[in-house]
Amino acid sequence: GAVVSQHPSWVICKSGTSVKIECRSLDFQATTMFWYRQFPKQSLMLMATSNEGSKATYEQGVEKDKFLINHASLTLSTLTVTSAHPEDSSFYICSAIGAGNQPQHFGDGTRLSIL
Amino acid sequence: DAKTTQPTSMDCAEGRAANLPCNHSTISGNEYVYWYRQIHSQGPQYIIHGLKNNETNEMASLIITEDRKSSTLILPHATLRDTAVYYCIARFMDAGNMLTFGGGTRLMVKP
């Protein structure tokens, strides 16, 4: 079945640093990738939609200059949390969808902890 | 996408069938019903989806009422590993449409 790989699984870093999260579709070409954030005991909240070769579309309230998204190829999208602060600590999850009638498939998430 | 309503939580005995209901009374004719589940600290896992007809795969069965206003996900023989939050989502079959997650149903499978 379709596989989406997300890396790293977890990261702990100091406040003020930038963190890059990678999302790869391993066995299909992802026309669109999505980035979600999930706080403890809450549901997933969409942050942005990313199409290969074009600028990401951000949801209301999500700062595009803080959460940089690059979707340079049909198999890779990256999310960079710039100048991360403790309130950015969360579970970040990507998903990808290919062409045709394919369901969206998710990565296993990245747990980000900012100290 | 149409709003869906699910019970907050359910229990099921191990080995028994788990029947998870979902109401989507405002669903439009070309919106599909998708089911995902999320095991603790993992990304959501696709289970099944359907439009009008009942569907079955190796994981589950999806029963959609004739008026399409509700559906039921059936896990025929629940195991402890099926303990998760199950999300029912109505969405159009379009690659550009994201999934909107509600609260889901927290299924606890008990020995």
Side-chain angles (χ1 to χ4, degrees):
Chain A
V3 178
V4 174
S5 173
Q6 194 171 334
H7 178 81
S9 300
W10 56 271
V11 59
I12 302 172
C13 60
K14 293 181 180 179
S15 183
T17 57
S18 293
V19 178
K20 179 184 283 189
I21 303 169
E22 292 188 349
C23 180
R24 294 180 185 272
S25 57
L26 297 185
D27 54 356
F28 68 100
Q29 293 188 323
T31 53
T32 305
M33 286 185 168
F34 304 90
W35 287 95
Y36 294 81
R37 181 167 52 182
Q38 185 176 33
F39 292 106
K41 298 188 178 181
Q42 294 185 23
S43 192
L44 282 77
M45 294 298 295
L46 180 69
M47 298 175 68
T49 302
S50 167
N51 292 297
E52 184 264 339
S54 61
K55 290 184 178 180
T57 302
Y58 290 81
E59 295 299 300
Q60 192 171 12
V62 179
E63 299 176 57
K64 63 180 181 180
D65 294 329
K66 181 168 184 63
F67 300 99
L68 302 179
I69 292 172
N70 184 285
H71 192 163
S73 76
L74 283 171
T75 59
L76 173 65
S77 176
T78 61
L79 168 68
T80 301
V81 183
T82 62
S83 187
H85 293 285
E87 59 266 28
D88 298 322
S89 298
S90 188
F91 191 48
Y92 291 86
I93 308 167
C94 72
S95 70
I97 192 166
N101 295 334
Q102 297 295 322
Q104 213 174 111
H105 291 278
F106 288 80
D108 272 340
T110 297
R111 189 159 301 282
L112 175 62
S113 296
I114 309 298
L115 304 178
Chain B
D1 298 336
K3 179 175 163 44
T4 61
T5 305
Q6 299 176 253
T8 304
S9 64
M10 291 180 64
D11 290 345
C12 177
E14 187 179 19
R16 305 297 294 269
N19 298 288
L20 293 95
C22 179
N23 286 323
H24 30 80
S25 58
T26 61
I27 197 168
S28 62
N30 52 354
E31 277 187 287
Y32 286 71
V33 178
Y34 283 79
W35 282 85
Y36 283 78
R37 73 179 182 184
Q38 187 178 24
I39 295 169
H40 183 62
S41 294
Q42 296 182 22
Q45 178 188 23
Y46 166 77
I47 301 173
I48 200 167
H49 73 281
L51 182 63
K52 294 181 182 178
N53 299 323
N54 297 337
E55 302 287 344
T56 295
N57 63 20
E58 65 278 5
M59 288 184 68
S61 294
L62 174 60
I63 308 298
I64 303 174
T65 58
E66 193 169 341
D67 62 8
R68 301 211 326 121
K69 293 185 176 182
S70 66
S71 61
T72 300
L73 179 74
I74 301 173
L75 307 178
H77 305 285
T79 70
L80 299 180
R81 287 179 293 182
D82 291 322
T83 293
V85 178
Y86 287 77
Y87 296 99
C88 168
I89 302 168
R91 58 154 278 188
F92 294 96
M93 180 66 79
D94 182 286
N97 279 342
M98 72 289 188
L99 294 169
T100 301
F101 287 82
T105 296
R106 187 171 296 276
L107 176 69
M108 179 74 72
V109 180
K110 297 183 175 181

